[in-house]
Amino acid sequence: MESLYPEQVRTTTLSDVAREAGVSLATASRAINGSTNRTVGPALRERVLAAAARLHYSPDANAQAMARGRTTSLGLIVHDIADPYFSAIAAGVTRAAEAAGLSVVLTSTEHDPAREVSFVELLRRQRVRAIVVTGGRRDDPEGTAALRAALEGFQAAGGSVALVSQPLEGMSTVVVDNREGAADLARHLHGIGYRRFAVVAGPVDHLTSRDRLSGFREALDELGAPLADGAVVHSGFTRDGGYEGMAELLRRDAGPEVVFAVNDVMAVGAMAAARDAGVSVPDDVAVAGFDDISTLRDITPALTTVRVPLVEAGVLATELALGPGEPREVHLAGEVVVRESTPAR
Amino acid sequence: MESLYPEQVRTTTLSDVAREAGVSLATASRAINGSTNRTVGPALRERVLAAAARLHYSPDANAQAMARGRTTSLGLIVHDIADPYFSAIAAGVTRAAEAAGLSVVLTSTEHDPAREVSFVELLRRQRVRAIVVTGGRRDDPEGTAALRAALEGFQAAGGSVALVSQPLEGMSTVVVDNREGAADLARHLHGIGYRRFAVVAGPVDHLTSRDRLSGFREALDELGAPLADGAVVHSGFTRDGGYEGMAELLRRDAGPEVVFAVNDVMAVGAMAAARDAGVSVPDDVAVAGFDDISTLRDITPALTTVRVPLVEAGVLATELALGPGEPREVHLAGEVVVRESTPAR
DNA sequence: TTGTAGGCGTTATCAG
DNA sequence: CTGATAACGCCTACAA
């Protein structure tokens, strides 16, 4: 037999509470959320609260948002929430948003840049107060222009925006010092004796990958130990990309002493490729990454990397978005963390 | 000088569009979203759409929700979005929610069970269509009762609920077969020659940990290789818990051949503790985990574990919550994945 | 301190 | 097919 429950569930409203308490709608409203004005007499307040409890009243946030003219939520756009890089940032965003009394609407592009634009529009319809956009972009003028247009539309409608990673002019951004971090890493590796370097990079048009690569390369140039031809291989910005990149590198007869994978997840893939090829890390080849993903801190050999305070980046971006004033750009320096995957040579 | 921008940003409304197009509000509404009734004449429809585009109109989802009587969002409660276990589930939830046309509101308890209750209330105020609650609970009758009450209140108000992990009577749940998975693992390990077992478990009142432990223990009992006294140590359900648990185990003179850490993150911590103590894995002691966290698949030695399809669990939970009919319980079997951390003995 | 009434942006019912 | 108009649930001047 089919369920005969009425689909229509009448939620109790503030009017119900007011009637139950024998007061006006306005009084009920004021008693329950303490309006900006004066208080409600203690006696009535009690009556109202009691009535609300009795009726299991739950204020309708949507109605409140309409009446007040502003919602209580914030949008977050990531590429893949299952990626530890993004989930760390998300942790920071949820924390900061909650501190500001906002709830966060999570959207995940699944690596399709075009979806960023539609998510911005979705979040704008939702009338979120702010949008935090995370993740590196490609060097794609059209795509970037579309995203910027969507974001500007959102701002024009009164919303605020903050980005993590790649800046977009006129919008607050938490910028990770990718070039400088990679350069520091290069200097450190050179300092402990490495001379023949190679890089497993992401796609050529991936801005974050590009910054890390060029910072690394320029530092090596200055040190007089430039990257050899064929010492850079481009691949996916993922674990599998790292794996394939390293495999390719090992196939070439370059024989680098140390490989810099432009992020930790790729570095882990690279190490797996070395292992599968019978090449020992760090005895035969040293490996370094970038990000210092906490979930990966216990891999062996422990990975030398550049620490990026991702949770903090999420917090900062949220605060930037919510804060007053002109768009700001906050820089987050990376810190080289030396571990066993790159022993002194 | 202070910014002199007017704080009040007037968003263009549907009335504006109607006026601009020279039609009634009703017609504009129908043209823009195709109401349940009949269509709008092609000519007018064009005019309206053009006007909307010209005015950069963005429908207000909140107002729509009010008018339609239902929102377009779904709530997700996790303990810690930075934990790969939860982020994998979250990936499944976002995917399924999007497929259903819903956006997800993410809340993170930061491991405080009491906050689950307040998040349920928050999400209820938001009038989300469904709530997905993930994560193991403690054996805490009062806390569980409070959560159940909040959830029932939400259901009574017309919302639907699905849980991942520990079931709650009367609510749809995606149950992971923890006992059976752990038992399978025990049998496998026994089958390849292990006899002296130990377990690094979570807190004694942690239900998931408890299930995994007892499944493991009972299988060993049946096999005639019961866990020795002192072969079980309780610790935190985290990486550090795993580390401390293993350290404690190594301090005891038991000398287990293989240690089962009740989740992968703990197993990684356990392996780190062994390493720090100069104990080799798997030569001196083998280690196995549970969950098969994908980010951890490349650690060395590769971890033997019980695979739980977490992304799928998220998808399933969302579908269960959104699906019609009575509450259901879906079981997800774990699959033992044998890797190098537990070589045949 | 408390109540009245108008409005927030849409949808939906009911006539033309 | 199109247009008034009443909800939806709540907040907030404005009055009393």
Side-chain angles (χ1 to χ4, degrees):
Chain A
M1 179 175 282
E2 293 298 309
S3 162
L4 296 177
Y5 286 17
E7 266 307 318
Q8 217 34 338
V9 185
R10 261 270 302 164
T11 316
T12 87
T13 81
L14 193 52
S15 314
D16 297 330
V17 175
R19 190 176 324 115
E20 169 86 4
V23 302
S24 78
L25 220 196
T27 301
S29 171
R30 296 192 267 247
I32 286 186
N33 75 25
S35 86
T36 31
N37 294 347
R38 280 289 177 279
T39 36
V40 174
L44 283 196
R45 139 173 276 98
E46 274 314 302
R47 283 233 305 276
V48 174
L49 263 30
R54 212 176 312 137
L55 268 40
H56 302 296
Y57 172 69
S58 167
D60 184 324
N62 284 287
Q64 293 183 314
M66 275 218 60
R68 297 204 245 248
R70 67 198 140 81
T71 67
T72 178
S73 49
L74 171 149
L76 170 62
I77 302 180
V78 301
H79 288 330
D80 177 9
I81 190 63
D83 181 322
Y85 173 88
F86 292 109
S87 64
I89 295 177
V93 173
T94 53
R95 185 177 309 162
E98 196 190 340
L102 302 181
S103 36
V104 359
V105 179
L106 170 69
T107 62
S108 186
T109 66
E110 316 244 338
H111 293 104
D112 177 356
R115 301 182 64 197
E116 279 182 337
V117 174
S118 49
F119 281 141
V120 170
E121 282 159 0
L122 171 67
L123 294 168
R124 175 176 169 191
R125 283 195 289 271
Q126 231 109 282
R127 299 292 187 267
V128 298
R129 294 252 272 274
I131 297 181
V132 174
V133 184
T134 70
R137 276 190 310 292
R138 299 309 188 84
D139 178 6
D140 166 18
E142 291 187 27
T144 300
L147 176 61
R148 137 177 256 115
L151 253 13
E152 283 171 347
F154 176 68
Q155 290 180 314
S160 53
V161 172
L163 314 183
V164 175
S165 187
Q166 299 299 333
L168 220 46
E169 201 184 303
M171 316 207 178
S172 286
T173 307
V174 174
V175 179
V176 174
D177 279 338
N178 290 310
R179 307 183 82 94
E180 203 46 43
D184 286 347
L185 177 62
R187 283 182 215 114
H188 168 77
L189 294 173
H190 185 274
I192 57 177
Y194 289 94
R195 289 299 176 270
R196 296 206 317 283
F197 299 84
V199 179
V200 176
V204 282
D205 63 349
H206 191 289
L207 296 177
T208 297
S209 167
R210 185 186 285 186
D211 288 348
R212 291 175 184 179
L213 169 57
S214 58
F216 197 77
R217 162 175 277 144
E218 285 160 19
L220 290 182
D221 287 346
E222 283 175 14
L223 292 165
L227 284 169
D229 286 348
V232 175
V233 40
H234 291 277
S235 183
F237 203 67
T238 61
R239 183 268 176 203
D240 289 349
Y243 187 99
E244 286 159 24
M246 177 63 111
E248 169 64 22
L249 227 37
L250 295 175
R251 237 175 274 130
R252 300 179 181 177
D253 51 7
E257 292 168 345
V258 56
V259 172
F260 168 42
V262 298
N263 72 45
D264 281 1
V265 173
M266 291 179 75
V268 165
M271 286 173 62
R275 204 179 307 130
D276 288 355
V279 173
S280 162
V281 176
D283 296 340
D284 300 331
V285 61
V287 172
F290 206 112
D291 286 343
D292 195 29
I293 298 295
S294 63
T295 312
L296 297 176
R297 283 187 195 149
D298 286 310
I299 63 170
T300 29
L303 188 61
T304 290
T305 188
V306 179
R307 173 173 302 167
V308 179
L310 296 171
V311 175
E312 188 184 344
V315 170
L316 274 175
T318 307
E319 293 174 346
L320 274 188
L322 264 23
E326 299 302 299
R328 296 200 304 129
E329 204 168 277
V330 173
H331 283 253
L332 241 34
E335 177 198 357
V336 175
V337 180
V338 185
R339 301 206 183 96
E340 301 152 19
S341 67
T342 60
R345 215 151 183 284
Chain B
M1 182 175 282
E2 291 298 309
S3 161
L4 296 177
Y5 288 15
E7 266 308 316
Q8 217 34 336
V9 184
R10 261 270 303 164
T11 316
T12 87
T13 79
L14 192 53
S15 312
D16 297 331
V17 175
R19 190 176 325 115
E20 169 87 5
V23 301
S24 77
L25 219 197
T27 301
S29 172
R30 295 192 270 248
I32 286 187
N33 75 23
S35 86
T36 32
N37 294 346
R38 281 290 179 278
T39 36
V40 175
L44 283 195
R45 140 174 275 98
E46 274 314 302
R47 283 235 302 278
V48 174
L49 263 30
R54 212 175 313 135
L55 269 40
H56 303 296
Y57 172 68
S58 167
D60 185 324
N62 284 287
Q64 293 182 313
M66 274 219 60
R68 297 205 243 251
R70 70 199 136 79
T71 68
T72 179
S73 49
L74 171 149
L76 170 62
I77 302 180
V78 302
H79 288 328
D80 176 11
I81 190 62
D83 182 324
Y85 173 88
F86 291 109
S87 65
I89 295 177
V93 171
T94 53
R95 185 177 307 164
E98 195 188 341
L102 302 181
S103 37
V104 358
V105 179
L106 169 69
T107 61
S108 188
T109 67
E110 316 247 338
H111 294 104
D112 177 356
R115 301 183 63 194
E116 280 183 336
V117 174
S118 48
F119 282 140
V120 170
E121 282 159 1
L122 170 67
L123 293 168
R124 175 176 168 191
R125 283 195 290 270
Q126 231 109 280
R127 298 293 186 265
V128 297
R129 295 255 271 273
I131 296 180
V132 174
V133 184
T134 70
R137 276 190 308 292
R138 300 309 189 82
D139 178 6
D140 164 19
E142 292 186 27
T144 300
L147 175 61
R148 135 176 258 117
L151 253 14
E152 284 173 346
F154 175 66
Q155 290 180 314
S160 52
V161 172
L163 314 184
V164 174
S165 187
Q166 299 299 332
L168 220 45
E169 202 184 301
M171 317 208 179
S172 285
T173 308
V174 175
V175 179
V176 174
D177 279 340
N178 289 311
R179 307 183 80 95
E180 202 47 42
D184 285 348
L185 177 63
R187 284 181 213 112
H188 166 78
L189 293 173
H190 186 273
I192 57 177
Y194 289 93
R195 289 300 176 268
R196 296 205 317 282
F197 299 83
V199 179
V200 176
V204 282
D205 62 349
H206 191 289
L207 296 175
T208 297
S209 167
R210 186 187 283 186
D211 287 348
R212 291 176 183 177
L213 170 57
S214 59
F216 198 78
R217 164 176 273 143
E218 284 160 19
L220 289 182
D221 287 346
E222 282 175 14
L223 291 166
L227 284 168
D229 287 348
V232 175
V233 40
H234 291 277
S235 183
F237 203 65
T238 62
R239 182 270 176 201
D240 289 348
Y243 187 98
E244 286 158 24
M246 178 62 110
E248 168 66 23
L249 227 37
L250 294 176
R251 236 174 275 129
R252 298 179 182 179
D253 51 6
E257 292 168 346
V258 55
V259 172
F260 167 43
V262 298
N263 71 47
D264 280 3
V265 173
M266 290 180 74
V268 166
M271 286 171 63
R275 204 178 310 129
D276 288 354
V279 174
S280 162
V281 177
D283 296 340
D284 300 331
V285 61
V287 172
F290 206 112
D291 286 341
D292 196 29
I293 297 297
S294 63
T295 312
L296 297 176
R297 281 184 198 150
D298 286 310
I299 63 170
T300 28
L303 188 62
T304 290
T305 187
V306 178
R307 173 173 302 166
V308 178
L310 295 172
V311 176
E312 189 185 344
V315 171
L316 274 175
T318 306
E319 292 175 346
L320 274 187
L322 263 23
E326 300 302 299
R328 298 200 301 130
E329 206 168 276
V330 173
H331 283 252
L332 240 35
E335 177 199 357
V336 175
V337 181
V338 185
R339 301 206 182 97
E340 301 153 18
S341 67
T342 60
R345 207 140 193 293

